[in-house]
Amino acid sequence: MAEFDSQKKYQEQEETFFDDGREIELLHFVYSKPDVEDVRDSPAKVLAAIDEFARTKKYLMNVGEDKGRIVTDLIAEVKPQVMVELGGYVGYSCILFGDAVRKAGGRRYFSLERNPEFAAVISSLVDLAGLGDIVKVIVGSSDDSIRRLHAKGALENIDLMFLDHYKPAYTTDLKLCEELKLVKPGSVLAADNVIKPGNPPYLEYVRSSVDQKKQANASSGTVNGVDSRFADRTAKQYFKREGEAKLDEKRVGNPLLVYESKLVHSFEPSGVPDAVEITRCVGAAES
Ligand SMILES: C[S@@+](CC[C@H](N)C(=O)[O-])C[C@H]1O[C@@H](n2cnc3c(N)ncnc32)[C@H](O)[C@@H]1O
């Protein structure tokens, strides 16, 4: 693994590090750049402007350059027609990966974001980057949005999914996608923040054998709730705005799907070590 380049370090992550007006400040920062016309239609320049804000003004909870490269390499290899991200924030991953999907010949990048203000920031920056033809920003809770897109026929399968939203919802949303047959053999998953802050229930699930998954479903009805292994800070990250998380504890997914999963180490844009879990659905067992 390459060293972290400290010149590129984001500002320190404060106690309150999002939803305090900085997302709108970012928009003003980007659009008031003297060379904004040069930035237009350039995903790389929009990303550079977002990075500049986070390095010189305020921390932003973006995937960042280093972990981002793990996923853009994956996009170049998988060549997804349809990619979905869970959690868009201000659009950094959406612009980086939407551009990579377009370059790889893909058709659609869905960015699912619950906070309508953040979703508006994503849409504005996606438009500036000239990615409006491929990116669709969907406002709402990820599980509702997945169900609605599926019911409308707008989403029939997911070639590549980037999970980067509420940490306890990674497993329940993956199971929902399995039940709707959106995730199936051939699908690939990239899950962010599996070291910082960590996601033991998700790692356990994607690394389990078919038998282990069947047993886990049989032995506990509450295994999908907000697991006690999450730190309180992680479990309550969106509490102030969204209230208590409502996760479907009864969701069983499709335990017959066979996954191959590996951890790829890297760094947060703040320099803190983290990793992306890359999971490939390689088949389905007989029931
Ligand atoms: C870590 S940020 C995403 C960062 C973004 N992927 C990037 O790298 O540029 C997490 C985002 O997930 C959103 N979020 C949290 N829970 C969600 C849910 N259940 N459905 C949709 N979005 C959610 C938050 O509002 C926040 O914007």
Side-chain angles (χ1 to χ4, degrees):
M1 181 177 62
E3 291 286 297
F4 180 73
D5 178 355
S6 54
Q7 305 255 328
K8 296 183 166 179
K9 192 173 181 296
Y10 275 18
Q11 292 288 310
E12 288 304 324
Q13 184 173 338
E14 316 91 317
E15 187 61 30
T16 298
F17 60 92
F18 68 97
D19 204 12
D20 60 352
R22 72 184 66 199
E23 295 80 16
I24 301 298
E25 250 180 78
L26 167 71
L27 272 190
H28 287 289
F29 176 83
V30 174
Y31 279 94
S32 64
K33 285 185 86 60
D35 63 344
V36 66
E37 282 316 309
D38 193 37
V39 171
R40 199 173 288 284
D41 292 333
S42 168
K45 287 182 180 165
V46 176
L47 292 169
I50 300 174
D51 278 331
E52 186 187 338
F53 177 91
R55 286 173 187 146
T56 61
K57 307 284 180 203
K58 282 182 187 157
Y59 171 86
L60 296 172
M61 55 172 167
N62 303 331
V63 64
E65 258 184 47
D66 291 343
K67 287 187 290 172
R69 199 169 309 112
I70 296 169
V71 181
T72 50
D73 287 351
L74 190 65
I75 292 169
E77 179 215 314
V78 173
K79 299 184 176 42
Q81 277 299 301
V82 177
M83 180 161 174
V84 173
E85 79 175 359
L86 308 182
Y89 190 40
V90 293
Y92 189 95
S93 54
C94 178
I95 292 168
L96 182 62
F97 304 156
D99 183 41
V101 168
R102 186 166 68 179
K103 284 182 176 144
R107 191 162 48 80
R108 181 56 85 203
Y109 189 94
F110 288 105
S111 177
L112 275 47
E113 171 54 54
R114 179 170 59 185
N115 183 313
E117 192 173 291
F118 299 169
V121 175
I122 303 173
S123 295
S124 176
L125 294 178
V126 160
D127 182 60
L128 182 65
L131 288 166
D133 55 343
I134 185 154
V135 170
K136 189 126 183 69
V137 181
I138 310 288
V139 187
S141 181
S142 48
D143 51 350
D144 292 342
S145 299
I146 290 166
R147 268 195 221 93
R148 193 176 60 254
L149 288 170
H150 175 260
K152 283 199 308 193
L155 184 61
E156 290 172 339
N157 78 293
I158 297 175
D159 300 312
L160 185 48
M161 181 153 74
F162 179 58
L163 298 92
D164 192 19
H165 60 331
Y166 180 52
K167 305 312 155 195
Y170 282 27
T171 314
T172 47
D173 280 348
L174 171 56
K175 287 181 175 180
L176 172 64
C177 291
E178 293 177 347
E179 289 169 10
L180 297 177
K181 298 190 172 55
L182 294 168
V183 165
K184 53 195 170 205
S187 300
V188 180
L189 315 167
D192 194 16
N193 301 122
V194 293
I195 301 277
K196 184 191 174 270
N199 202 325
Y202 178 81
L203 292 185
E204 185 177 287
Y205 184 72
V206 294
R207 293 172 184 179
S208 290
S209 67
V210 167
D211 281 344
Q212 285 168 328
K213 285 189 280 184
K214 282 183 181 169
Q215 269 167 26
N217 279 338
S219 65
S220 168
T222 58
V223 74
N224 305 329
V226 179
D227 193 290
S228 58
R229 284 173 285 180
F230 287 107
D232 208 44
R233 184 177 162 84
T234 306
K236 297 216 162 81
Q237 183 168 1
Y238 300 100
F239 183 85
K240 198 175 95 198
R241 168 102 40 202
E242 312 286 348
E244 202 71 57
K246 292 179 209 76
L247 296 174
D248 184 351
E249 297 180 359
K250 296 198 183 64
R251 195 160 287 146
V252 293
N254 178 359
L256 298 177
L257 293 179
V258 180
Y259 290 125
E260 280 177 8
S261 206
K262 67 165 190 201
L263 194 67
V264 185
H265 289 277
S266 185
F267 297 97
E268 283 270 88
S270 56
V272 174
D274 191 14
V276 179
E277 180 82 357
I278 307 286
T279 305
R280 295 164 199 266
C281 183
V282 294
E286 299 287 316
S287 52

